[in-house]
Amino acid sequence: MKHEEANKEMGSRGAEGQRGKRVGGNSKIKNAQSPIPNPQPSVPNLDDWLEIGKIVAPQGLSGELRVYPVSDFPERFEVPGKRWLLHSGDTEPQPIELLTGRYISNKNLYVIKLAGVENCDQAEALRGCKLMVPASDRPQLSEDEYHVLDLIGLEVFMQASGELVGTVVDIIPAGNDLLEVKLHESFATDKKQKTVLIPFVQAIAPVVDLPSGRIEITPPPGLLEINN
């Protein structure tokens, strides 16, 4: 599952192969735009942007930066080209050039070099800034892959009975992605239980109908009560 949400891309290089729908263990939910952003965003509105990572610290003394990725596309951090930097408190990202990038697998971080950032002090000044791309840069996905934004808000139904279970409110990354579903009041037997987690795998969620805004599930007995 490819993760990419407006204002937020979720995931990491390590996670993106695991965030999964429908192909046991291989993620099919993708948090991502096109690997290489388009050069010009059209509207300076944060609703039109996606966060791909957050600068968490300088790396060394030469101006390199550690970035925690929230995108499932390594090209966002490894392919040189224009990106956008959002400073804390700002409402409009500013263009900046990505020069190089590499992945540190054991830390789940990228180390990147940005144009104009030449020393540790300049890098430190960017701590907490977010790397952004235009929301229009969503890539074509393979069959059976989905963007997070496409899944949030879908209604979930029992395939056998047609009963409305609830609405997808979030995606939880795991070995296979989990749909967090807010239970419909008519379905919840325990009124204290507000949500349920449903593995997003082929056997349990065989039908994803984006045009109709629905997911059909065939959960094993007890699955929907597992969070009680």
Side-chain angles (χ1 to χ4, degrees):
M1 196 187 294
K2 295 269 188 186
H3 285 271
E4 190 149 284
E5 307 175 54
N7 244 344
K8 185 177 182 184
E9 291 192 20
M10 303 178 53
S12 68
R13 181 172 181 174
E16 60 195 8
Q18 299 171 355
R19 298 191 166 193
K21 144 77 173 145
R22 308 157 70 76
V23 185
N26 291 326
S27 175
K28 291 296 178 179
I29 303 176
K30 298 296 185 182
N31 202 5
Q33 274 75 41
S34 56
I36 304 175
N38 290 334
Q40 294 295 332
S42 56
V43 181
N45 183 318
L46 287 185
D47 289 340
D48 296 325
W49 296 88
L50 298 169
E51 178 186 344
I52 61 170
K54 183 175 182 178
I55 296 171
V56 295
Q59 170 78 14
L61 301 177
S62 62
E64 288 187 318
L65 298 152
R66 291 188 174 200
V67 175
Y68 175 74
V70 287
S71 171
D72 285 335
F73 283 80
E75 294 90 339
R76 295 297 198 193
F77 312 97
E78 296 175 347
V79 176
K82 185 174 286 188
R83 306 295 189 272
W84 287 263
L85 196 63
L86 181 66
H87 293 264
S88 178
D90 287 357
T91 58
E92 182 177 352
Q94 300 301 315
I96 197 163
E97 198 75 14
L98 174 69
L99 301 178
T100 62
R102 63 187 186 276
Y103 185 63
I104 311 298
S105 60
N106 62 331
K107 296 184 181 295
N108 189 26
L109 290 169
Y110 286 91
V111 173
I112 66 170
K113 179 71 172 176
L114 298 177
V117 184
E118 303 296 338
N119 57 56
C120 186
D121 289 341
Q122 291 175 327
E124 180 62 40
L126 298 182
R127 185 191 292 264
C129 291
K130 297 176 180 179
L131 287 174
M132 313 290 286
V133 293
S136 58
D137 286 327
R138 297 178 69 184
Q140 295 295 317
L141 300 181
S142 301
E143 184 179 357
D144 217 21
E145 291 186 336
Y146 305 93
H147 289 289
V148 165
L149 277 182
D150 293 336
L151 298 173
I152 301 296
L154 295 188
E155 292 184 321
V156 178
F157 295 86
M158 297 291 288
Q159 188 175 62
S161 65
E163 184 178 5
L164 175 61
V165 177
T167 303
V168 178
V169 295
D170 202 359
I171 308 297
I172 309 298
N176 286 301
D177 288 312
L178 301 172
L179 303 176
E180 183 178 3
V181 176
K182 182 179 179 181
L183 293 174
H184 190 270
E185 59 183 11
S186 65
F187 189 86
T189 55
D190 181 351
K191 298 306 178 182
K192 294 181 179 180
Q193 184 182 4
K194 302 299 183 183
T195 63
V196 67
L197 299 178
I198 300 173
F200 196 47
V201 296
Q202 179 72 40
I204 295 175
V207 175
V208 179
D209 188 341
L210 296 181
S212 299
R214 65 185 285 137
I215 295 173
E216 296 178 9
I217 62 171
T218 56
L223 175 64
L224 299 183
E225 291 77 39
I226 196 169
N227 292 336
N228 283 344

